[in-house]
Amino acid sequence: MGSENAGTAPSERDELLEILREQRRFLRLTVRGLGDEQATTRTTASELTLAGLVKHVALTERGWIDIMLQRPSQGPERTEETWGDDFRLVGEETLAGVLALYEEVERDTEAAVAGLPDLDRAAPLPEAPWFPPNAAWSARRILLHLVRETAQHCGHADIIRESLDGSGTTEVMLDAVEWGDQVKNAW
């Protein structure tokens, strides 16, 4: 987004959200033009697929916004049997469905962050072996973590897409521009 006035820097909140939006767009571009079969094809030694990455990133973002707002989890309940389901399509799930979920999560994140008085608001982290006891993160750190998480998985997605059909995010983005699409809205 940024500021419309030259010489006026966007707020920290706006800059962090814009970087997160850019990473989301890159991930969406990586699956652009694919059907469910291609989006669920493994192309590397990893179990990761493009559709699974979109689903995982959407659910992860939703989970962190739940933590930031200190609200009950809006995501699916995890059990030992379903632990890896956020990395793959299950049941009747489709790429279009997980992309719609991702758009819903993005709107929720935008509204949640806009509603915060500032980014210093601390949220206690859930008990987990990877967090110190009684740890808390600021909304700022949660947003930075989401940028890192999304960017990391964009890199995975780029490798998977390149292995799938030779297209990388850069090529898909250039194709979107060449065909007159708005890169900001393309998926």
Side-chain angles (χ1 to χ4, degrees):
M1 280 182 136
S3 174
E4 298 297 319
N5 300 323
T8 303
S11 71
E12 176 187 25
R13 181 186 318 239
D14 289 342
E15 286 188 314
L16 288 172
L17 285 173
E18 183 56 31
I19 293 168
L20 184 55
R21 283 184 210 110
E22 287 172 358
Q23 293 306 309
R24 287 192 206 105
R25 284 192 297 269
F26 292 147
L27 186 57
R28 285 186 184 107
L29 281 169
T30 306
V31 300
R32 188 173 196 271
L34 298 180
D36 288 342
E37 185 176 337
Q38 287 179 301
T40 57
T41 298
R42 289 180 48 208
T43 63
T44 67
S46 167
E47 295 283 331
L48 298 176
T49 67
L50 294 170
L53 285 172
V54 172
K55 180 180 176 183
H56 169 72
V57 171
L59 293 175
T60 298
E61 184 171 327
R62 174 173 276 163
W64 278 105
I65 297 306
D66 290 343
I67 290 168
M68 183 180 74
L69 297 179
Q70 299 177 44
R71 68 184 180 193
S73 173
Q74 306 296 304
E77 184 177 335
R78 287 185 177 167
T79 65
E80 197 171 314
E81 294 81 32
T82 63
W83 185 256
D85 285 355
D86 64 334
F87 277 104
R88 62 182 165 262
L89 299 186
V90 294
E92 299 297 313
E93 291 178 329
T94 63
L95 176 59
V98 294
L99 286 166
L101 169 67
Y102 203 20
E103 288 177 22
E104 177 186 315
V105 169
E106 181 175 7
R107 286 189 301 273
D108 184 41
T109 297
E110 296 280 331
V113 174
L116 293 174
D118 58 56
L119 298 180
D120 294 327
R121 176 184 174 160
L125 298 181
E127 284 188 37
W130 46 86
F131 296 131
N134 303 313
W137 283 3
S138 68
R140 176 183 299 100
R141 182 164 179 180
I142 289 171
L143 286 173
L144 288 168
H145 178 72
L146 288 174
V147 168
R148 177 179 56 200
E149 174 86 10
T150 307
Q152 175 183 9
H153 289 308
C154 281
H156 296 143
D158 205 34
I159 291 168
I160 294 168
R161 178 66 189 253
E162 189 172 354
S163 298
L164 181 66
D165 64 5
S167 297
T169 304
T170 303
E171 289 82 11
V172 175
M173 189 173 5
L174 290 172
D175 184 51
V177 171
E178 183 177 313
W179 286 97
D181 296 343
Q182 294 294 318
V183 174
K184 285 188 172 187
N185 299 319
W187 66 267

